[in-house]
Amino acid sequence: MRIGYFGDGVWAQRAFARLIDDPRYTIAFVAVRASRPDSTLVALAEAKGIPVLSPKAVNAPESLAEIATFAAELHVSMSYDQILREAILALPPRGTLNCHAGALPFYRGRNPLTWALINGETEFGITVHWVDLGIDTGDIVRQIKVPISATDTYATLLKTAETRCADTLVEAISDVHRGTDKRIVQSTIDPVGLYCCRRREGDEEIDWTFGSAALERFVRALVPPGPGARTIWKDKSYAILAAELIPGARSYIGAPGEVIGRDSAGILVKTGDNFIRLTRWAPVGTDCALGAALVPDATRGSRLGRNLKAELAKAEAKLVALEAKLGPGRGD
């Protein structure tokens, strides 16, 4: 079976390395990101004499014409950065497979591992599905569920997914080759499903009004290679790298973000319900790079996070001063 492979990153590398050595398949081409080609994928392909493509616009007519010349029977996508549109989906007679690290029809979209941790899931899914014109909505070929422990982080889930995604994709391709592949319509699992948005700059900032359990999960969900859950202390940004729940901590009303105590392990911070211990943080540089991990040393009685009321008051004062400087009618 001739396969056209669209991929990027470690997950794609692992699956590709197995497919190129399987005598059942001929890899017709591999398509990599145009902006940042995956050097490992490129090297693997070149070692086997497999053509490497890096189209800037994969759905453009010239790209479609080039891809069509390879006459692949099946297209496979793993972490590829461009959406494959209708014309390119129509090229391979066997269809196009995609591997997604979410339990479809739940956790469609972006950053599924991060969102699964934030939402307190006890497992995450890996799904291989046929690509249609929707976002992660095609019929399911193969799906597995992987447990999430109370100590798992974004980093540990990524490591697990590296292997399990590659395994599941290779098994699904084998199903297609043998003609034993299933087509599970996603609406038969759940008629609505769940879609996750791409996380943007600023989403990493901690809201101290959240409960302790939610905040502890938030910290685990954003550890490097994520950006780290961020907070402000003395006008400087810090990434929280580790936090602990306090067994038996009583819920009470207080000031969220207040440092209420310190011990040898870190600092105790008031949350929306009780309090939590921060055990490691790292200063965030002006280039957004994280410094060395440290035991937090914020003083008792200080406040973490942004004082939005104070910031708004300062902004309003600056606006009033600017209007006064411009004079009557010039600030309209």
Side-chain angles (χ1 to χ4, degrees), residues 13-52:
Q13 295 164 15
R14 285 181 175 271
F16 188 70
R18 292 174 59 180
L19 293 172
I20 59 179
D21 287 331
D22 193 317
R24 296 177 296 175
Y25 313 126
T26 298
I27 307 301
F29 67 86
V30 58
V32 297
R33 295 186 182 215
S35 59
R36 192 182 66 247
D38 185 322
S39 59
T40 300
L41 271 180
V42 171
L44 286 169
E46 290 179 343
K48 295 286 186 176
I50 298 169
V52 177

Side-chain angles (χ1 to χ4, degrees), residues 6-315:
F6 300 79
D8 181 75
V10 177
W11 301 1
Q13 295 164 15
R14 285 181 175 271
F16 188 70
R18 292 174 59 180
L19 293 172
I20 59 179
D21 287 331
D22 193 317
R24 296 177 296 175
Y25 313 126
T26 298
I27 307 301
F29 67 86
V30 58
V32 297
R33 295 186 182 215
S35 59
R36 192 182 66 247
D38 185 322
S39 59
T40 300
L41 271 180
V42 171
L44 286 169
E46 290 179 343
K48 295 286 186 176
I50 298 169
V52 177
L53 312 180
S54 56
K56 291 183 179 179
V58 73
N59 297 288
E62 59 273 19
S63 298
L64 291 172
E66 182 179 24
I67 291 169
T69 63
F70 292 100
E73 299 167 75
L74 176 74
H75 283 173
V76 173
S77 175
M78 176 74 102
S79 303
Y80 191 60
D81 67 332
Q82 298 187 54
I83 295 174
L84 305 179
R85 303 293 185 185
E86 186 172 8
I88 198 168
L89 295 179
L91 290 178
R94 302 291 290 271
T96 300
L97 289 178
N98 178 62
C99 188
H100 180 73
L104 300 180
F106 307 106
Y107 292 94
R108 294 172 178 145
R110 304 290 292 273
N111 306 107
L113 297 178
T114 297
W115 285 116
L117 280 167
I118 288 173
N119 282 288
E121 300 289 357
T122 58
E123 61 184 12
F124 74 94
I126 294 173
T127 307
V128 178
H129 64 97
W130 294 107
V131 179
D132 61 12
L133 297 181
I135 303 297
D136 301 324
T137 55
D139 295 349
I140 294 170
V141 177
R142 182 177 281 263
Q143 184 177 90
I144 65 170
K145 301 288 182 64
V146 182
I148 298 176
S149 76
T151 58
D152 267 319
T153 66
Y154 178 54
T156 63
L157 292 193
L158 271 179
K159 197 67 178 176
T160 300
E162 284 179 12
T163 301
R164 302 302 295 274
C165 280
D167 291 345
T168 308
L169 178 60
V170 169
E171 289 163 2
I173 293 171
S174 182
D175 291 340
V176 173
H177 179 263
R178 293 195 305 262
T180 59
D181 53 295
K182 300 177 182 178
R183 277 187 173 268
I184 302 172
V185 178
Q186 292 193 30
S187 61
T188 63
I189 300 173
D190 187 273
V192 179
L194 183 157
Y195 181 84
C196 295
C197 63
R198 177 173 66 88
R199 297 190 63 79
R200 293 175 169 82
E201 184 178 354
D203 288 349
E204 71 278 4
E205 190 157 339
I206 291 174
D207 182 344
W208 290 105
T209 65
F210 282 12
S212 293
L215 286 173
E216 190 270 343
R217 295 195 305 267
F218 189 73
V219 169
R220 288 191 284 121
L222 295 179
V223 299
R230 306 285 179 87
T231 195
I232 302 294
W233 181 54
K234 289 186 175 180
D235 297 322
K236 185 167 183 174
S237 180
Y238 288 84
I240 312 302
L241 305 179
E244 298 175 352
L245 297 176
I246 311 298
R250 178 178 175 177
S251 293
Y252 67 100
I253 295 173
E258 182 91 0
V259 178
I260 61 172
R262 294 176 60 176
D263 58 25
S264 60
I267 57 176
L268 303 177
V269 182
K270 180 71 181 75
T271 65
D273 54 6
N274 45 61
F275 52 96
I276 194 171
R277 178 183 285 113
L278 308 184
T279 59
R280 288 290 184 277
W281 70 7
V284 180
T286 54
D287 59 353
C288 293
L290 303 189
L294 307 167
V295 176
D297 58 350
T299 54
R300 182 176 179 176
S302 61
R303 193 77 59 87
L304 304 184
R306 298 182 187 276
N307 187 334
L308 297 180
K309 289 183 179 180
E311 290 185 10
L312 180 59
K314 288 180 182 178

